[in-house]
Amino acid sequence: MGKERFVDIIHKKRLGQPLTGSEIRQMIADYVAGEIPDYQMSAMLMAICFQGMNDEELTTLTLAMRDSGDVVDLSPIEGIKVDKHSTGGVGDKTTLIVGPVVAACGVPVAKMSGRGLGFTGGTLDKLESIPGFRVGLTGEEFFRAVKDNGISVIGQTGNLAPADKLLYALRDVTSTVDSIPLIAASIMSKKLAAGSDKIVLDVTTGSGAFIKDIEGSKELARRMTAIGKGAGKETVAVLTSMEEPLGEAVGNNLEVIEAVKVLQGGGPEDVKEVCLALAGMMLSLGYGDGQSLSYEEGRQMAEKALVSGQAYEKFKAMVQTQGGDVNFIENPDKFAKAAFSDTLTAWEDGYITSMNTEGIGVAAGLLGAGRETKESEIDFSAGIQMKKKIGDAVKKGDVLAVCHAGTEEKLQQGLTYLRDCILFSSKKLEPLKLVVDIVR
């Protein structure tokens, strides 16, 4: 009996029937090999978008995507390796803080991060704003850095989940990017290929998140933790609010400077709160080769590492090992400053009631801090410093934000766009809950 025709598998999914494991694995193998044309895979993606996938189908799909390329073997590094992944947001500099905190507590952090695209920032771009910092280490350098310092953050190496790259490019042009099963498979295929033993997911929710509504965010968290369980990797999702930018800084070297302030014991309280929640969860999963540690105990341990300055020393050690100039970490005033800066001031009295956080990310991109395509050049010194939070009282003329750009034209574009992202009212709102939920 010959191989099943792919058109029949599309038809099966279009009718809402579950696909078998062999059908899913064959589909991914044939597509990566170029034997399934884009127009047929587009039809399958749309069928999945409308009909969904059960947990068993989704785990099989994710593992097939993982196995389409290299799977990193982190076994040469002693201890339980816990990875952290954020679904993206604005002002999200958590990896720069969480990684050193967790490493300072003795849990190794061997992390592969990504670049920013669209309104979300990327950890690699932030790290590369530190002069000399190398994100492209060899495998040998990466392992040695983690063994020596307990932490290294690099770009994705080798041929990691090539099926995801192909499928994402297709989803982007077929309006199937926001399908929860496809998002879950995309994220988890890369995380599972990166080789960690356990995974903590920071699933953002709100106006600056990929999925805006809480129910959709919880469903994404549930699907990803189910994939982790199906793959034999303990996975926990922490739902965090992205109704406003995290912290004040939005932009590459601005966010590094803010992260350094937090590592030195200062910085914005909301950044500290989210980072301690994520670090606490990572430590509860990975501390002491799996000896029982509660989330609360992990959080307390993380706080001690932050307050004592041990996490700050870990960050400096990572920067130095990866070629970065530690003088910039010890003296953040050395970072390049944008040629043009201006303030956005309040145009009325009242309380800030909401922010279009995605729009604030877009404004930072207009200032030069983001990229529209993967080839775009970014300006490390461009960005926004938000001076107010939702619920704050403001008087007309108060500074809401400071914008930084490389040209006067970009500065005015960013300021104009940013103005429409902040809404006022006469009624005061309660402060936002930062850690919304935990999904196991």
Side-chain angles (χ1 to χ4, degrees), residues 108-420:
V109 178
K111 180 154 180 55
M112 294 182 187
S113 285
R115 298 196 177 278
L117 191 60
F119 70 91
T120 63
T123 299
L124 297 184
D125 301 317
K126 292 163 196 177
L127 287 171
E128 284 187 334
S129 74
I130 303 167
F133 194 99
R134 291 169 57 221
V135 299
L137 302 187
T138 66
E140 190 182 331
E141 288 172 324
F142 179 52
F143 284 125
R144 190 165 64 245
V146 179
K147 283 180 178 177
D148 291 349
N149 300 326
I151 180 170
S152 181
V153 180
I154 61 170
Q156 283 184 7
T157 55
N159 186 34
L160 220 63
D164 177 60
K165 293 184 184 74
L166 293 169
L167 288 172
Y168 193 90
L170 203 54
R171 286 165 57 208
D172 200 30
V173 294
T174 56
S175 190
T176 52
V177 168
D178 58 358
S179 159
I180 284 177
L182 295 175
I183 296 169
S186 174
I187 291 170
M188 291 300 289
S189 63
K190 294 190 290 272
K191 288 294 106 184
L192 294 171
S196 285
D197 302 307
K198 302 186 181 188
I199 301 166
V200 172
L201 300 163
D202 175 10
V203 180
T204 52
T205 185
S207 68
F210 199 54
I211 294 180
K212 316 290 183 197
D213 65 291
I214 184 70
E215 288 312 314
S217 301
K218 282 184 178 177
E219 176 64 8
L220 177 60
R222 191 195 72 72
R223 301 309 300 267
M224 289 196 292
T225 54
I227 291 168
K229 183 181 178 185
K233 306 260 185 187
E234 189 176 359
T235 304
V236 179
V238 180
L239 264 73
T240 62
S241 174
M242 195 49 76
E243 290 291 1
E244 63 186 0
L246 188 62
E248 292 183 5
V250 182
N252 296 286
N253 72 23
L254 296 172
E255 291 190 45
V256 172
I257 293 165
E258 186 165 276
V260 168
K261 284 180 185 170
V262 175
L263 288 165
Q264 289 174 331
E269 285 302 315
D270 61 338
V271 178
K272 207 177 298 183
E273 173 68 23
V274 170
C275 287
L276 289 176
L278 295 170
M281 188 58 76
M282 289 176 74
L283 289 168
S284 75
L285 296 185
Y287 182 71
D289 276 356
Q291 71 185 55
S292 182
L293 191 74
S294 70
Y295 165 59
E296 288 74 20
E297 288 169 329
R299 201 180 180 288
Q300 288 167 6
M301 191 179 284
E303 195 159 12
K304 279 182 189 168
L306 201 56
V307 171
S308 68
Q310 289 172 297
Y312 173 58
E313 294 302 323
K314 278 288 178 196
F315 185 67
K316 287 201 296 181
M318 179 181 79
V319 169
Q320 187 152 28
T321 297
Q322 296 189 221
D325 189 339
V326 179
N327 285 323
F328 282 75
I329 308 306
E330 293 174 336
N331 306 286
D333 284 345
K334 284 179 170 284
F335 276 101
K337 293 175 179 61
F340 296 88
S341 297
D342 201 357
T343 57
L344 177 69
T345 55
W347 47 94
E348 58 184 273
D349 294 354
Y351 296 93
I352 296 178
T353 51
S354 71
M355 294 187 190
N356 173 1
T357 310
E358 180 177 334
I360 294 171
V362 172
L366 292 172
L367 292 163
R371 52 166 69 82
E372 285 306 309
T373 69
K374 287 180 180 176
E375 290 72 39
S376 303
E377 287 286 316
I378 56 176
D379 177 353
F380 289 136
S381 62
I384 303 167
Q385 289 166 298
M386 302 295 297
K387 297 300 182 183
K388 299 291 181 183
K389 291 284 182 188
I390 292 173
D392 284 356
V394 292
K395 296 280 185 191
K396 186 177 180 180
D398 282 357
V399 175
L400 301 176
V402 183
C403 291
H404 307 276
T407 68
E408 183 67 43
E409 183 188 9
K410 285 182 177 178
L411 181 65
Q412 293 310 317
Q413 281 181 331
L415 274 168
T416 303
Y417 199 96
L418 182 62
R419 192 183 191 279
D420 293 333

Side-chain angles (χ1 to χ4, degrees), residues 28-29 32 63-71 159-164:
I28 294 300
V32 171
L63 293 178
M65 290 165 65
R66 177 199 69 181
D67 295 338
S68 66
D70 300 335
V71 177
N159 186 34
L160 220 63
D164 177 60

